[in-house]
């Protein structure tokens, strides 16, 4: 049997080292010749001292570091423009994103805009970025978004709509995975971002488009690592093995969905972010179970294949339906044990808003088109009701 042609794209190098942020200067010195760094992060990490080992190491290696720490969740366009202005003033020659998905997203486009004449409005869409960017390094501090290995930046426009830039140039040159940086992540954040990473792997594995043997391999290994370490990372935040496994698992899930895109869980999660500012990870965690059950009619054979990677208790000889159900049950158990909120009503969502959320979700046509089962507006409403 011949398989269809496919491409798989990821970043050039991924360096994994516990405590590696404290050696960032040495690592960078071998990678790039520029000396002026723009470090893109958020104020919470800056105040908590999370940047200090990296900053000290960069200074010792002779780099001049300008910190831009005004990144916020769901970053507005204005934040990116301020970041670019600060980088330009500092004469930045290297951009480092150090933080969660929002910081890394802003770093990607800052690296482009610091050397580009294209206005931001022209960059939105797929493949619109022209020309090169500055050297770009990503250092995640959560095991969740996978943004360090994706080529997408999502920004919030002045009218509160979300717009995405998708371009080859947004893949970083280098990624540093230092799980020590994730030690301080509180249990609820660890749970929500970890479940979001599992959603990335599941939705990539069942995606209608561009699913391929490499994205499948990444998704399976992501699920193996994430499912066997999520609860330990939530309960024992300083568990080094669990934190390292989660960070690598989230990165693998990012590689999977950068190549085989996510679907209905994300489509239904975005309106929760837009209307209620529920964080990305939590909104996906809230919608996972209803969508898994809804997709069962088409995705059961693929779910059955994932039963083993997630450690579902089911015989290897069991039939597809039994294995698929065991897969879903295992995820429900994991979510319950993680301590993440499970109901929309517990996250501030009002029941009378559900029809509005369903209407909003219908606008996510790009994501809904990847779902194994078609989702109508009444389906979306039923899914929100199931999650309520
Ligand atoms: Zn996500």
């Amino acid at each position: 049997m011949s398989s269809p042609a496919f491409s798989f794209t990821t970043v050039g190098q991924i360096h994994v080292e516990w405590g590696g942020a404290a050696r960032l200067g040495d690592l960078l010195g071998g990678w790039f010749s520029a000396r002026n760094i723009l470090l893109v992060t958020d104020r919470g990490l800056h105040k908590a001292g999370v940047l200090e080992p990296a900053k000290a190491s960069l200074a010792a290696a002779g780099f001049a570091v300008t910190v831009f720490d005004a990144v916020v969740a769901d970053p507005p366009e204005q934040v990116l423009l301020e970041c670019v202005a600060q980088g330009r003033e500092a004469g930045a020659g290297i951009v480092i994103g150090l933080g969660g998905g929002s910081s890394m997203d802003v770093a990607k486009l800052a690296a482009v805009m610091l050397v580009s004449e294209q206005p931001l409005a022209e960059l939105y869409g797929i493949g619109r970025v022209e020309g090169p960017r500055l050297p770009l390094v990503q250092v995640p501090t959560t095991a969740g978004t996978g943004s360090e290995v994706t080529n997408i930046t999502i920004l919030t426009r002045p009218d509160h709509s979300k717009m995405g830039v998708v371009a080859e140039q947004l893949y970083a040159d280098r990624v540093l995975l230092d799980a020590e940086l994730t030690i301080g992540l509180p249990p609820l954040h660890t749970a929500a971002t970890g479940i979001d990473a599992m959603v990335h792997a599941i939705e990539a594995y069942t995606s209608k488009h561009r699913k391929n043997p490499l994205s499948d391999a990444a998704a399976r290994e992501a699920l193996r690592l994430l499912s066997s370490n999520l609860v330990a990372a939530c309960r024992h935040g300083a568990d080094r093995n669990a934190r390292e496994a989660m960070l690598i698992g989230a990165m693998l899930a990012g590689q999977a969905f950068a190549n085989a895109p996510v679907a209905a869980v994300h489509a239904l999660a975005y309106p929760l972010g837009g209307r209620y500012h529920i964080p990305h990870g939590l909104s996906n965690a809230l919608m996972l179970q209803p969508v898994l059950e809804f997709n069962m009619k088409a995705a059961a054979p693929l779910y059955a294949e994932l039963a083993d990677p997630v450690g579902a208790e089911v015989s290897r000889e069991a039939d597809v339906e039994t294995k698929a159900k065991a897969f879903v049950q295992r995820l429900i158990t994991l979510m319950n044990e993680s301590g993440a909120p499970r109901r929309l009503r517990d996250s501030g969502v009002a029941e009378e808003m559900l029809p509005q959320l369903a209407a909003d979700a219908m606008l996510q046509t790009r994501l809904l088109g990847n779902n194994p089962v078609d989702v109508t507006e009444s389906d979306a409403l039923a899914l929100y009701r199931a999650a309520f």
Side-chain angles (χ1 to χ4, degrees), residues 21-301:
R23 291 206 318 112
L24 192 56
D26 297 340
L27 293 168
L28 245 61
W31 292 341
F32 307 114
S33 55
R35 295 331 266 176
N36 271 357
I37 291 174
L38 176 66
L39 184 63
V40 182
T41 189
D42 66 70
R43 209 154 280 147
L45 289 174
H46 198 183
K47 274 193 179 159
V50 175
L51 311 183
E52 293 315 312
K55 274 172 64 188
S57 157
L58 290 167
F63 290 98
V65 180
T66 301
V67 176
F68 177 82
D69 71 357
V71 176
V72 291
D74 306 308
E77 285 182 339
Q78 191 54 34
V79 165
L80 169 66
L81 298 176
E82 285 164 17
C83 178
V84 171
Q86 193 170 330
R88 195 160 279 152
E89 198 170 313
I94 299 174
V95 178
I96 301 177
L98 196 157
S102 300
S103 292
M104 292 189 283
D105 274 15
V106 170
K108 290 174 192 176
L109 270 189
V112 167
M113 293 183 70
L114 279 165
V115 288
S116 172
E117 297 298 316
Q118 282 182 287
L120 177 55
E122 277 181 21
L123 304 179
Y124 287 117
I126 299 173
R128 301 264 175 81
V129 176
E130 294 163 6
R133 56 153 169 74
L134 288 182
L136 174 64
V137 179
Q138 300 283 26
V139 186
T141 58
T142 65
T145 67
S147 175
E148 67 274 17
V149 288
T150 71
N151 62 337
I152 307 168
T153 288
I154 307 279
L155 293 174
T156 305
R157 307 191 79 184
D159 66 357
H160 301 288
S161 67
K162 299 236 178 187
M163 287 284 277
V165 179
V166 182
E168 287 284 307
Q169 289 93 332
L170 302 193
Y171 283 112
D173 296 298
R174 295 285 192 277
V175 167
L176 170 63
L177 297 185
D178 173 5
E180 194 174 21
L181 296 172
T182 69
I183 286 286
L185 203 62
L188 284 185
H189 279 80
T190 302
T193 53
I195 294 166
D196 181 40
M198 298 183 76
V199 175
H200 296 154
I202 295 165
E203 296 213 290
Y205 199 80
T206 56
S207 188
K208 258 193 194 166
H209 296 116
R210 294 166 50 212
K211 168 183 163 66
N212 63 71
L214 293 182
S215 66
D216 284 352
R220 277 191 302 263
E221 180 63 6
L223 285 170
R224 193 185 67 77
L225 289 166
L226 295 164
S227 65
S228 53
N229 290 280
L230 175 71
V231 176
C234 293
R235 291 188 184 162
H236 312 287
D239 181 334
R240 173 172 167 172
N241 290 335
R243 290 293 194 183
E244 288 196 309
M246 291 298 291
L247 194 56
I248 293 175
M251 184 277 295
L252 284 166
Q255 289 182 318
F257 91 88
N259 290 278
V262 293
V265 182
H266 277 76
L268 293 166
Y270 276 125
L272 296 172
R275 296 272 170 191
Y276 289 99
H277 297 287
I278 297 176
H280 175 86
L282 177 55
S283 58
N284 278 284
L286 288 164
M287 296 314 300
L288 177 57
Q289 182 181 341
V291 175
L292 284 175
E293 287 164 350
F294 175 79
N295 283 348
M296 186 67 103
K297 50 185 174 274

Side-chain angles (χ1 to χ4, degrees), residues 267-276 344 349-363 377 380-381 384:
L268 293 166
Y270 276 125
L272 296 172
R275 296 272 170 191
Y276 289 99
L344 295 181
V349 177
E351 191 167 12
E352 59 271 22
M353 277 296 283
L354 300 185
Q356 180 65 57
L357 293 170
D360 290 355
M362 285 300 106
L363 302 176
E377 190 165 339
L381 182 55
Y384 282 122

